[in-house]
Amino acid sequence: MSDAVTEAKKPGFIPPREPLYDWGLAVTAAVDLHNDGSHPNAEDGALLAPKGTPGIIVRIGHAEGTQIPVYLVEFPAGVVVGCLEEEITPADGRRRGVPGVMD
């Protein structure tokens, strides 16, 4: 196989996907949020934040090994949970944004 063909098959850099929500945004839990084993102060499977619980996005990162945004959301009593976009919704009821599309 030629070097040009081999080079074309190598995966390139895929930049992280832009998050839909901003740091500091008030959100609510769209689903019951349970400990998946990553929360050190709760047992596996424990309910961390029931659906409808208000919170604030305190940090935005990306899941390790993926380009998917993860939101650290602080819920009442200082419970901080890593959430995916599908697990939270803006508290003001506005619609979700679309990366790269201006309203």
Side-chain angles (χ1 to χ4, degrees):
M1 194 179 301
S2 75
D3 288 337
V5 172
T6 304
E7 286 296 318
K9 291 185 179 182
K10 289 183 180 177
F13 172 74
I14 300 172
R17 188 170 64 69
E18 289 295 317
L20 295 180
Y21 305 129
D22 293 323
W23 176 88
L25 180 68
V27 296
T28 57
V31 297
D32 288 340
L33 299 171
H34 295 272
N35 186 13
D36 62 2
S38 61
H39 201 280
N41 299 326
E43 292 189 30
D44 286 359
L47 181 62
L48 299 173
K51 180 179 179 177
T53 303
I56 300 285
I57 296 175
V58 295
R59 189 163 191 175
I60 303 170
H62 287 85
E64 188 174 328
T66 73
Q67 304 303 327
I68 299 170
V70 175
Y71 301 85
L72 287 182
V73 179
E74 184 173 353
F75 291 102
V79 176
V80 178
V81 181
C83 299
L84 300 174
E85 289 169 348
E86 304 80 40
E87 297 173 323
I88 56 176
T89 110
D92 63 5
R94 68 180 174 98
R95 70 178 183 84
R96 292 169 47 132
V98 177
V101 176
M102 296 176 59
D103 289 332

